[in-house]
C-alpha cells in the first residue's frame, strides 16, 4: 500500500511547509524540514504533515517545533506515542502557555535517551486510570498519580513520566509503571520517609553520596517487603529487571559485580522486622561503592518529601483534633456547655464537675492497626477519620498523645487544616478565581482530542420575573392548554385491569363462564382465564435546556417562555420528573447555567417567577451546557432520560472559534457523550437553517423545526410518545 | 450441599415440612444467634441488614436447623404481587382451586418465612406482611374470607442490603420499625479465613492471599466499586482454585468480573490479582 503512492517531492514539501508556517510573515525556516521529510515514505510524510496541521490549530510555533523533532523521534518511537506526545504539548499549551508547551516538544531529546529503540511506549493517560485504582486498592494513605519529569513521590502524589518507553514491549512498559507505582506505595507504607533528612545526613561530608547509599539500601529493604506483600508483582519485577539488565551496558552498573558488603546488608534488610533505621545504620558500610539500580527504582526527592510531610503533619494534627471534637459531640459529650439534661436536673452549671472525656488509640486485638476509644468505649470512626488515622500512623508510627486532644472552639479555622491545593489543575483554577466553578473539557475536532478543563461553568439562580406572567400566559392560551392536557393525559400510563390473560392474580370470571360454556359445547376450552393488574410504571425524567443567547431577544424569547409555561402545565398532569435550565455565557471562561426549575423544585410561584425571568443574555456555547446538564440528568433515578434543547440557532460564542465548525463538532461530541450514558437528546429549533447542521449534531430523527411556538408542546408530546410506547 | 448419592437427580422436598437435617456450617460473627433466638422467643420479626454475600442466608439456614423449623424463602423482585405471596385461584379441569402462596404456607405450617431482598418488592406488595409483623401476628386472606392467626412457632424474617439501594428503594419506616434488626458485615479476617478454608478446602497461604485481595477490593468501595468482594466471592474463587484452576484466572473470573463491568476497574482488579498471585 505504501509503495503504491510515491513520496512527495521536495518542491511540493517546500511549498506545503512554507504555506503552513506562513513563512512570508513569520520568517520561520523550513528548508531543513524538507530535507528531513524528503527521504520518508509517503505514509510517514502524511502522518507528519497531518499532525503538523493539527497542531497548527493550537499554535504555529509548537507545530513548527514538532516538525523539527518528529523525524528523529519517529526513528525510536511508535506513532501512537508520538501522537500522545503531540497531544500532551497541546494540552500544556492550553493550560500553561507557549513556553512550557515548547519545552514539552523540546524535551523529547532528553526523553529519547532513555527510551528503548523502537519502543512501544505507554502514555500516562493510558496507565493512569488503571494504576490509580490499583494503588487505591493497596492499603494505606490514598495516593494520587500525576505526570512529572521524573519518577518520584512526595509521599502523597506518585509522579510518572508522560511516556514510559524504557522497555521494548508495551506490556512490559505498563508493568514497569505498575512496579514503580507499587514501589512508591511501599515507600509510604513501610516508612521509608520516617527520617529527618536534614538531621540524618548532616554527619556525611558528601550528602548526595550518602543519600544515594540510603536509597539503594532502602530499595533492598522494600524489595523484600514487596516480595512478601505482593509476590506476583515481585516475580514480574524480577523479569523486568532481567529484560532491562541485558541492555544496560552503557550504565556500567548491572554488569559490575557488587561488593560483598551488599550481601551482608541484604541479610539484615530482608528480615521482616527491618525498618528505615536499619537502613540508616548500614549507610557507612556501603558508602562510595557501586550499588544496584534496578529499573523500577524511582528517584528519591528528599526536598519534596520533607515539604509535603511537614505540611501534612501539621494539617492532619489539627484536622484530627477537630474530627475528635465532632465525634465527641456526636457521642453526646458537649465540650462547650452542659448538656440539656444536666441543665434540667440542676440549675447550677455542671461544667466543672464533668471531667472531659478522654480519647485513646488502642491496638486492636487482631493486631491490625488501631481503634479509637472514647472513655473506654471503642467507637467506630467514619471512613474519613479512619483514613486520617492511617495517614497519621504512616507518618508517626503511632498516634501521638497530643493528637488525641479534641480541638477547642478557637481551633476550628478551616484555614489551619484544609489542604492548600497545589497541583497544576488547581493552580489553573486559582489563577482565574475559578473556585466553585465546574470545569469541562471541550472537543477540538482539528486536534481530534479534548482540550482539558477548557470551559469554566457556573450555575446561577435565575432572577425572578413578574410572578403574574405565567397566569397571563395561561389565560391567553386557555383553550390550547386544555387541549394539550388531553393529549398528555392520554399518554398517562395508568393501572389497568387486563382481562383474559393466560396468567394473572385472579380468575377472570367472565372468561371462565364462557370457557365452561364452550367446553360443554364440545369446543376447545381457552386457557386465557385470568385477569392481571397492569401497573403503571412511567419512569421518565426530562431536562429542558433553554437557549438564552442574545439572539433570542424579542419574539423568540417570548415564544420560549410561553412554550415553557404550557409545557409545565401539561407535564404536571403526567407526574414525570422534569427540570428546566437556561444557558448562555461569553467565552469559555464565563459559561453560565441558569437554574429555573430543578428536578426537586415544585411548579409553584417561585418557579413561575423564574420562568417569567428568562431573558436574552449572551452567547451559546452548547457543548459545555450539554455536558453539565447531562450530569445533572444522570443523577436522577429514571429508566428513560430525555435532554430537550430549545434553541434558535447554532452554537456560537463571542469572537471565538466556537462560531466555526469547531462549535458544531464540540456540540456533536457532547451529545455523543450524553448518548453513551443512556440519555436521549432532542432539539427543537426555531432556526430555519437548522437542517444544515442539526442532523449532524443530533442525528436525523432527533430534531424538529417549528415555525410556531404553540406547536412546541405537541412536539414534546410526540417525542414522549416515541420513547415511551 | 447435595450428598454424593443424589448424583444427577434433584431431591424433592416440600418446603413447608422439610427440616434441614445436617447442621449448616455457620460461624457466628457476633451475638446474632442469641439476638435471633430471643426475638424468636418473643414472637418478634427479624430484619437482617448487610451487604451481599456476607452470610445472611447461611445464617437463616442455620437458625432454621437450630430451631428445627421448616423454612420458606422468597426472593423478592419488582413484579412480585400480593397474590404471589398470599395465594391465588387456579383453574383445574373447569374448577377453580385455591393455592396457598409461600407466605401463607409458612404461616399455616408454623415455619420460618424468609423474604430475601425485601426492598426489591413493590411497596404496595409489602404491606401484606404488616399485620403479620406486629403483635397481632395475623394474616388476612381476603379472597378466601379467612383470617389466619400465626402459630407460636411461626417466624418472619426479611433481609435488606442498605448499601447500594437508591433513595427510591429505601425500606418504608412503617415496615422497618416493625422488626428487630440484626446487622451483618463481612466476618473479621480471622473468621473469614476459617470460613473460606472450611468451604473450599484451600491451604492457609492461598486463603490468606484471597483475604488480602478481598481487603484490596474493599478499599475500592466508593472509589469506583459499589461493593468490595464478599465472602461468597472468596468462597467461589477458592473453590475454583482447589479444583485446579490457576489462581489468577480463578480470581479474575470469580472476583474481578463478578464485581464490575467497568473496563478500567476490571483491569485494575486484575492488576491487584496479578500482584498477589
Ligand atoms: N458466618 C459465616 N459462616 C459460614 N459461612 C459463611 C459465613 N459468612 C459467609 N459465609 C459464606 O458466604 C457465602 C455467602 O453467604 P450467603 O449466601 O448467606 O450471603 P447473603 O448474605 O445471603 O447474601 P445475599 O444478600 O446476596 O443473599 C456462604 O455460602 C458461605 O460460604
Ligand atoms: Mg442471601
Amino acid at each position: 500500500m505504501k509503495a503504491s503512492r510515491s513520496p512527495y517531492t521536495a518542491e511540493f514539501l517546500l511549498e506545503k511547509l512554507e504555506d503552513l508556517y506562513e513563512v512570508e510573515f513569520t520568517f520561520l525556516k523550513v528548508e531543513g524540514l524538507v530535507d528531513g521529510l524528503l527521504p520518508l515514505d509517503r505514509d510517514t510524510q502524511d502522518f507528519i504533515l497531518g499532525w503538523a496541521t493539527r497542531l497548527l490549530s493550537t499554535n504555529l510555533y509548537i507545530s513548527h517545533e514538532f516538525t523539527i523533532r518528529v523525524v528523529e523521534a519517529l526513528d525510536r518511537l511508535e506513532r501512537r506515542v508520538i501522537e500522545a506526545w503531540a497531544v500532551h504539548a497541546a494540552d500544556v499549551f492550553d493550560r500553561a502557555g507557549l513556553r512550557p508547551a515548547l519545552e514539552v516538544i523540546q524535551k523529547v531529546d532528553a526523553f529519547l535517551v532513555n527510551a528503548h529503540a523502537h519502543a512501544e511506549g505507554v502514555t500516562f493517560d493510558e496507565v493512569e486510570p488503571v494504576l490509580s485504582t490499583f494503588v487505591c486498592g493497596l492499603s494505606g494513605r490514598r495516593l494520587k498519580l500525576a505526570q512529572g519529569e521524573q519518577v518520584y513521590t512526595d509521599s502523597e502524589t506518585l509522579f510518572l513520566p508522560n511516556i514510559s518507553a524504557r522497555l521494548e514491549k508495551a506490556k512490559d512498559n505498563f508493568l514497569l509503571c505498575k512496579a514503580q507505582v507499587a514501589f512508591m506505595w511501599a515507600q509510604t507504607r513501610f516508612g521509608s520517609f520516617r527520617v529527618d533528612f536534614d538531621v540524618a545526613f548532616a554527619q556525611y561530608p558528601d550528602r548526595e553520596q550518602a543519600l544515594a547509599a540510603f536509597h539503594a539500601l532502602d530499595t533492598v529493604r522494600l524489595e523484600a517487603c514487596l516480595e512478601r506483600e505482593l509476590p506476583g508483582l515481585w516475580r514480574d519485577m524480577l523479569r523486568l529487571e532481567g529484560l532491562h539488565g541485558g541492555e544496560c551496558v552503557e550504565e556500567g552498573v548491572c554488569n559490575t559485580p557488587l561488593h560483598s558488603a551488599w550481601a551482608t546488608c541484604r541479610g539484615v534488610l530482608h528480615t521482616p522486622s527491618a525498618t528505615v533505621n536499619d537502613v540508616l545504620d548500614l549507610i557507612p558500610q556501603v558508602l562510595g561503592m557501586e550499588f544496584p539500580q534496578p529499573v523500577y527504582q524511582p528517584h528519591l526527592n528528599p526536598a519534596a518529601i520533607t515539604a509535603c510531610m511537614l505540611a501534612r503533619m501539621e494539617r492532619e494534627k489539627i484536622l484530627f483534633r477537630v474530627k475528635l471534637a465532632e465525634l465527641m459531640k456526636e457521642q453526646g459529650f458537649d465540650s462547650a456547655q452542659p448538656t440539656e439534661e444536666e441543665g434540667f436536673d440542676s440549675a447550677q452549671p455542671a461544667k466543672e464537675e464533668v471531667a472531659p472525656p478522654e480519647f485513646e488509640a488502642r491496638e486492636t486485638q487482631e493486631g491490625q492497626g488501631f481503634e479509637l476509644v472514647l472513655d473506654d468505649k471503642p467507637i467506630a470512626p467514619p471512613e474519613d477519620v479512619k483514613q486520617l488515622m492511617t495517614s497519621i500512623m504512616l507518618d508517626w508510627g503511632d498516634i501521638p498523645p497530643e493528637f488525641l486532644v479534641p480541638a477547642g472552639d478557637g481551633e476550628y479555622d478551616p484555614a489551619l487544616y484544609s489542604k492548600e491545593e497545589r497541583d497544576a489543575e488547581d493552580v489553573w483554577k486559582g489563577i482565574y478565581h475559578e473556585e466553585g466553578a465546574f470545569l469541562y473539557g471541550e472537543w477540538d475536532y482539528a486536534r481530534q482530542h479534548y482540550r482539558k478543563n477548557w470551559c469554566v461553568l457556573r450555575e446561577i439562580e435565575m432572577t425572578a420575573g413578574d410572578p403574574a406572567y405565567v397566569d397571563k400566559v395561561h389565560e391567553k392560551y386557555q383553550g390550547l392548554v386544555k387541549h394539550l392536557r388531553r393529549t398528555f393525559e392520554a399518554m398517562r400510563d395508568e393501572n389497568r385491569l387486563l382481562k383474559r390473560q393466560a396468567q394473572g392474580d385472579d380468575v377472570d370470571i367472565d372468561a371462565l363462564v364462557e370457557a365452561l360454556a364452550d367446553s360443554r359445547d364440545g369446543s376447545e376450552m381457552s386457557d386465557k382465564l385470568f385477569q392481571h393488574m397492569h401497573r403503571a410504571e412511567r419512569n421518565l425524567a426530562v431536562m429542558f435546556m433553554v437557549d438564552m443567547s442574545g439572539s433570542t431577544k424579542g419574539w423568540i424569547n417570548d415564544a420560549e417562555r410561553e412554550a415553557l409555561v404550557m409545557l409545565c402545565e401539561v407535564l404536571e398532569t403526567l407526574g414525570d420528573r422534569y427540570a428546566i435550565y437556561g444557558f448562555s455565557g461569553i467565552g469559555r471562561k464565563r459559561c453560565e447555567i441558569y437554574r429555573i426549575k430543578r428536578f426537586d423544585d415544585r411548579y409553584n410561584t417561585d418557579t413561575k417567577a423564574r420562568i417569567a425571568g428568562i431573558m436574552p443574555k449572551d452567547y451559546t456555547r452548547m457543548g459545555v451546557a450539554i455536558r453539565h446538564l447531562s450530569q445533572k440528568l444522570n443523577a436522577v433515578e429514571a429508566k428513560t432520560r430525555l435532554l430537550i434543547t430549545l434553541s434558535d440557532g447554532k452554537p456560537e460564542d463571542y469572537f471565538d472559534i466556537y462560531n466555526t465548525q469547531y462549535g458544531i463538532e464540540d456540540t456533536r461530541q457532547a451529545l455523543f457523550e450524553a448518548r453513551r450514558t443512556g440519555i436521549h437528546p432532542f432539539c427543537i429549533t426555531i432556526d430555519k437553517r437548522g437542517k444544515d447542521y442539526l442532523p449532524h449534531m443530533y442525528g436525523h430523527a432527533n430534531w424538529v423545526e417549528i415555525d410556531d411556538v404553540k406547536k412546541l408542546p405537541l412536539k414534546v408530546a410526540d417525542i414522549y410518545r416515541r420513547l415511551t410506547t | 450441599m447435595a450428598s454424593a448419592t443424589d448424583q444427577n437427580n434433584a431431591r424433592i422436598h416440600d418446603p413447608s415440612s422439610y427440616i434441614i437435617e445436617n447442621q449448616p456450617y455457620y460461624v457466628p460473627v457476633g451475638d446474632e444467634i442469641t439476638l435471633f433466638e430471643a426475638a424468636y422467643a418473643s414472637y418478634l420479626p427479624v430484619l437482617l441488614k448487610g451487604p451481599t454475600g456476607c452470610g445472611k442466608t447461611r445464617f437463616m439456614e442455620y437458625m432454621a436447623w437450630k430451631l428445627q423449623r421448616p423454612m420458606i424463602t422468597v426472593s423478592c423482585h419488582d413484579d412480585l404481587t400480593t397474590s404471589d405471596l398470599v395465594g391465588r385461584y387456579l383453574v383445574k379441569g373447569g374448577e377453580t382451586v385455591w393455592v396457598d402462596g409461600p407466605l401463607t404456607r409458612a404461616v399455616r405450617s408454623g415455619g420460618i418465612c424468609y423474604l430475601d431482598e425485601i426492598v426489591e418488592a413493590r411497596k404496595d406488595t409489602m404491606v401484606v406482611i404488616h399485620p403479620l409483623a406486629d403483635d397481632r401476628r395475623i394474616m388476612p386472606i381476603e379472597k378466601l374470607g379467612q383470617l389466619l392467626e400465626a402459630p407460636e412457632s411461626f417466624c418472619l424474617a426479611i433481609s435488606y442490603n442498605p448499601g447500594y439501594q437508591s433513595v427510591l428503594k429505601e425500606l418504608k419506616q412503617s415496615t422497618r420499625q416493625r422488626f428487630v434488626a440484626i446487622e451483618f458485615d463481612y466476618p473479621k479476617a480471622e473468621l473469614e479465613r476459617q470460613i473460606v478454608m472450611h468451604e473450599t478446602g484451600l491451604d492457609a497461604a492461598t486463603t490468606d492471599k484471597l483475604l488480602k485481595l478481598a481487603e484490596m477490593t474493599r478499599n475500592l468501595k466508593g472509589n469506583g466499586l459499589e461493593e468490595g468482594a464478599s465472602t461468597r466471592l472468596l468462597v467461589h474463587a477458592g473453590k475454583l482454585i482447589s479444583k485446579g484452576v490457576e489462581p489468577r484466572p480463578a480470581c479474575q473470573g470469580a472476583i474481578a468480573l463478578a464485581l464490575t463491568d467497568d473496563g478500567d476497574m476490571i483491569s485494575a482488579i486484575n492488576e491487584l490479582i496479578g500482584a498477589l498471585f
Side-chain angles (χ1 to χ4, degrees), chain A residues 536-578:
Chain A
E537 194 124 43
R538 282 183 74 78
N539 198 345
L540 195 117
V542 54
M543 164 75 77
F544 291 97
M545 174 174 139
V546 184
D547 185 347
M548 285 172 49
S549 61
S551 57
T552 59
K553 192 160 187 234
W555 73 273
I556 298 179
N557 174 258
D558 289 338
E560 279 181 348
R561 290 189 297 162
E562 290 182 353
L564 283 174
V565 171
M566 287 187 271
L567 268 175
C568 290
E569 296 285 336
V570 295
L571 286 175
E572 286 294 314
T573 66
L574 272 183
D576 288 328
R577 273 158 300 164
Y578 66 103

Side-chain angles (χ1 to χ4, degrees), chain B residues 10 21 57 63 82 85 92 128 159 162 171 174 181 203 210 227-228 239-240 242 248 250-251 270:
Chain B
E21 295 155 20
T57 302
M63 291 314 299
T82 315
L85 286 175
K92 273 185 191 154
V128 299
S159 84
L171 206 51
S174 59
D203 59 275
L210 279 178
E227 207 48 271
K239 282 183 173 162
L240 296 183
S242 48
R248 284 190 188 192
C251 292
N270 283 341

Side-chain angles (χ1 to χ4, degrees), chain A residues 435-474:
Chain A
E435 249 146 70
F438 302 87
L439 298 182
Y440 287 95
E442 197 165 87
W443 176 252
D444 182 338
Y445 84 110
R447 206 189 275 178
Q448 285 292 301
H449 263 275
Y450 287 94
R451 298 184 174 210
K452 282 189 193 157
N453 295 338
W454 192 239
C455 296
V456 183
L457 178 141
R458 265 166 222 288
E459 256 189 44
I460 299 168
E461 178 93 6
M462 185 76 223
T463 27
D466 175 13
Y469 171 80
V470 165
D471 294 330
K472 279 184 218 146
V473 176
H474 198 175

Side-chain angles (χ1 to χ4, degrees), chain A residues 324-325 327-328 357-361 372-375 379 404-406:
Chain A
L324 288 188
L327 275 177
M328 202 167 69
E358 270 181 39
F359 277 100
E360 209 186 316
L372 201 56
V373 180
L374 175 62
D375 267 4
I379 52 177
L404 290 162
V405 185

Side-chain angles (χ1 to χ4, degrees), chain B residues 25-27 52-58 195 199 231-232 235:
Chain B
Y25 174 75
Y26 181 74
V27 181
T52 179
C54 68
K56 299 186 293 291
T57 302
R58 182 61 68 84
I195 294 167
E199 298 277 287
T231 313
R232 174 190 294 133
V235 170

Side-chain angles (χ1 to χ4, degrees), chain A residues 180-408:
Chain A
Q180 288 165 332
V181 164
F183 191 98
M184 293 187 277
W185 162 78
Q187 287 180 305
T188 68
R189 173 69 181 74
F190 300 107
S192 296
F193 306 146
R194 233 178 279 150
V195 171
D196 187 333
F197 285 101
D198 290 333
V199 176
F201 293 90
Q203 50 172 313
Y204 297 102
D206 187 343
R207 183 183 144 95
E208 289 311 311
Q209 190 190 41
L211 274 171
F214 165 81
H215 191 36
L217 287 166
D218 197 44
T219 299
V220 172
R221 180 180 73 96
L222 294 176
E223 285 170 350
C225 295
L226 285 170
E227 184 178 1
R228 278 191 298 271
E229 291 286 317
L230 303 172
L233 179 66
W234 176 243
R235 278 202 313 276
D236 288 333
M237 287 165 76
L238 287 178
R239 194 175 58 80
L240 293 180
E241 183 55 17
L243 284 179
H244 188 250
E247 315 241 12
C248 68
V249 190
E250 73 272 20
E251 285 169 42
V253 176
C254 301
N255 295 345
T256 317
L258 291 170
H259 192 279
S260 63
W262 281 100
T264 324
C265 294
R266 205 165 254 140
V268 176
L269 296 173
H270 275 209
T271 54
S273 58
T275 68
V276 72
N277 292 325
D278 299 311
V279 173
L280 288 173
D281 291 343
L282 288 171
I283 293 176
Q285 305 202 19
V286 296
L287 206 58
M289 291 178 190
E290 294 281 11
F291 44 76
Q293 254 184 326
V295 59
Y296 45 78
Q297 184 189 42
H299 289 267
L300 182 69
N301 189 337
I305 295 162
T306 310
C308 180
M309 277 182 75
L310 285 180
R312 178 176 60 240
M313 286 155 101
E314 270 304 302
R315 186 180 67 237
E316 289 187 343
K317 178 172 171 187
I318 179 69
L319 180 59
F320 186 62
R321 295 179 51 221
V322 167
K323 293 282 175 196
L324 288 188
E326 285 171 11
L327 275 177
M328 202 167 69
K329 280 212 185 99
E330 266 169 40
Q331 302 283 320
F333 298 96
D334 200 322
S335 54
Q337 60 231 75
T339 58
E340 268 181 43
E341 299 96 279
E342 284 163 337
F344 191 79
D345 281 339
S346 69
Q348 292 165 359
K351 204 172 172 181
E352 302 102 84
E353 291 139 51
V354 189
E358 270 181 39
F359 277 100
E360 209 186 316
R362 251 184 232 160
E363 214 162 329
T364 56
Q365 286 150 344
E366 292 90 27
Q368 303 171 325
F370 285 71
E371 66 179 1
L372 201 56
V373 180
L374 175 62
D375 267 4
D376 253 6
K377 256 194 350 220
I379 52 177
E383 194 51 42
D384 59 331
V385 177
K386 267 193 221 156
Q387 271 180 32
L388 197 55
M389 286 172 70
T390 309
S391 180
I392 292 168
M393 283 194 307
L394 288 177
D395 284 339
W396 297 83
D398 59 4
I399 299 197
E402 67 269 24
F403 278 58
L404 290 162
V405 185

Side-chain angles (χ1 to χ4, degrees), chain A residues 126 129-140 142 174-175 178 226 228-236 366 368 387 495 504-507 509 512 516 525 529-530 532-533 535-537 539 577 637-638, chain B residues 78-84 87-91 93-96 122 124-125 143 166-168 188-190 209 212 215-217 219-221 223 248 263-265 267-277:
Chain A
E126 288 170 326
V130 174
L131 290 184
S132 62
T133 310
F134 167 77
V135 75
C136 179
L138 303 174
S139 62
R142 287 284 138 87
F174 173 83
L175 271 180
K178 177 181 170 187
L226 285 170
R228 278 191 298 271
E229 291 286 317
L230 303 172
L233 179 66
W234 176 243
R235 278 202 313 276
D236 288 333
E366 292 90 27
Q368 303 171 325
Q387 271 180 32
N495 287 356
D505 300 334
D506 263 313
V507 175
I509 297 293
L512 182 62
L516 289 176
M525 191 170 150
L529 303 176
F530 296 91
H532 174 69
M533 183 59 94
R535 288 194 172 73
E537 194 124 43
N539 198 345
R577 273 158 300 164
E637 185 97 13
Chain B
D78 54 2
D79 278 339
L80 191 81
T81 62
T82 315
S83 318
D84 291 335
R88 57 162 52 92
Y89 278 109
L90 293 181
V91 180
E95 305 269 334
T96 60
R122 302 167 51 91
D124 55 329
T125 304
K143 287 175 193 158
S166 64
V167 260
L168 286 181
K188 291 237 167 68
E190 186 40 51
K209 285 189 187 173
K212 237 187 215 168
E215 153 111 29
M216 288 172 170
T217 61
N219 285 339
L220 293 178
K221 179 174 175 179
N223 289 285
R248 284 190 188 192
D264 283 342
M265 184 49 86
S267 308
I269 299 174
N270 283 341
E271 291 307 329
L272 289 167
I273 294 169
L276 279 171
F277 289 97

Side-chain angles (χ1 to χ4, degrees), chain B:
Chain B
M1 283 198 287
S3 71
T5 51
D6 294 325
Q7 300 263 321
N8 298 323
N9 298 322
R11 281 200 288 175
I12 299 169
H13 298 297
D14 173 5
S16 48
S17 60
Y18 173 66
I19 294 182
I20 299 172
E21 295 155 20
N22 301 322
Q23 172 174 0
Y25 174 75
Y26 181 74
V27 181
V29 289
D31 48 7
E32 70 272 21
I33 295 180
T34 340
L35 254 172
F36 192 97
E37 282 177 330
Y40 183 72
S42 320
Y43 317 119
L44 295 173
V46 177
L47 160 66
L48 312 183
K49 259 184 173 186
T52 179
C54 68
K56 299 186 293 291
T57 302
R58 182 61 68 84
F59 171 70
M60 284 308 298
E61 285 179 345
Y62 174 79
M63 291 314 299
W65 168 83
K66 192 148 194 267
L67 301 167
Q68 286 294 297
R69 298 311 312 160
M71 178 163 86
I72 295 180
T73 306
V74 182
S75 302
C76 301
H77 51 84
D78 54 2
D79 278 339
L80 191 81
T81 62
T82 315
S83 318
D84 291 335
L85 286 175
V86 177
R88 57 162 52 92
Y89 278 109
L90 293 181
V91 180
K92 273 185 191 154
E95 305 269 334
T96 60
V97 194
W98 172 260
V99 179
D100 279 343
L103 184 60
T104 313
R105 264 182 285 144
V107 175
R108 285 195 208 277
S109 60
I112 298 175
C113 184
Y114 178 43
L115 303 176
D116 209 354
E117 279 307 337
I118 187 87
V119 278
E120 290 298 328
R122 302 167 51 91
K123 290 186 173 133
D124 55 329
T125 304
M126 253 25 266
V127 292
V128 299
I129 65 170
H130 282 188
L132 260 180
D134 54 34
D135 53 6
R136 292 173 288 171
R137 294 191 21 115
I138 51 169
M139 174 154 152
I141 307 179
E142 273 169 50
K143 287 175 193 158
L144 286 182
Q146 287 183 353
L147 198 65
L148 283 189
E149 208 182 303
E152 293 194 343
S153 64
F154 169 76
C155 168
L156 180 63
I158 63 179
S159 84
Y160 159 54
N161 177 355
Y164 54 78
Q165 250 81 41
S166 64
V167 260
L168 286 181
K169 284 190 172 172
E170 255 176 36
L171 206 51
K172 267 175 25 165
Q173 282 296 327
S174 59
T175 307
R176 67 194 304 156
Q177 292 208 10
R178 289 178 145 78
F179 290 80
V180 172
I182 303 183
E183 178 124 44
F184 283 73
D185 204 344
Y186 304 125
K188 291 237 167 68
E190 186 40 51
L191 296 181
E192 199 166 34
R193 168 182 301 115
Q194 203 177 312
I195 294 167
V196 174
M197 284 177 71
H198 175 275
E199 298 277 287
T200 65
L202 275 189
D203 59 275
T206 318
T207 307
D208 279 344
K209 285 189 187 173
L210 279 178
L211 293 188
K212 237 187 215 168
L213 180 62
E215 153 111 29
M216 288 172 170
T217 61
R218 289 169 196 173
N219 285 339
L220 293 178
K221 179 174 175 179
N223 289 285
L225 269 193
E226 244 167 353
E227 207 48 271
S230 61
T231 313
R232 174 190 294 133
L233 293 191
L234 303 190
V235 170
H236 288 181
K239 282 183 173 162
L240 296 183
I241 296 173
S242 48
K243 277 271 176 294
V245 180
E246 285 295 313
R248 284 190 188 192
C251 292
Q252 284 166 7
I255 296 180
L257 293 171
L259 280 173
T260 175
D261 293 323
D262 179 85
D264 283 342
M265 184 49 86
I266 293 176
S267 308
I269 299 174
N270 283 341
E271 291 307 329
L272 289 167
I273 294 169
L276 279 171
F277 289 97

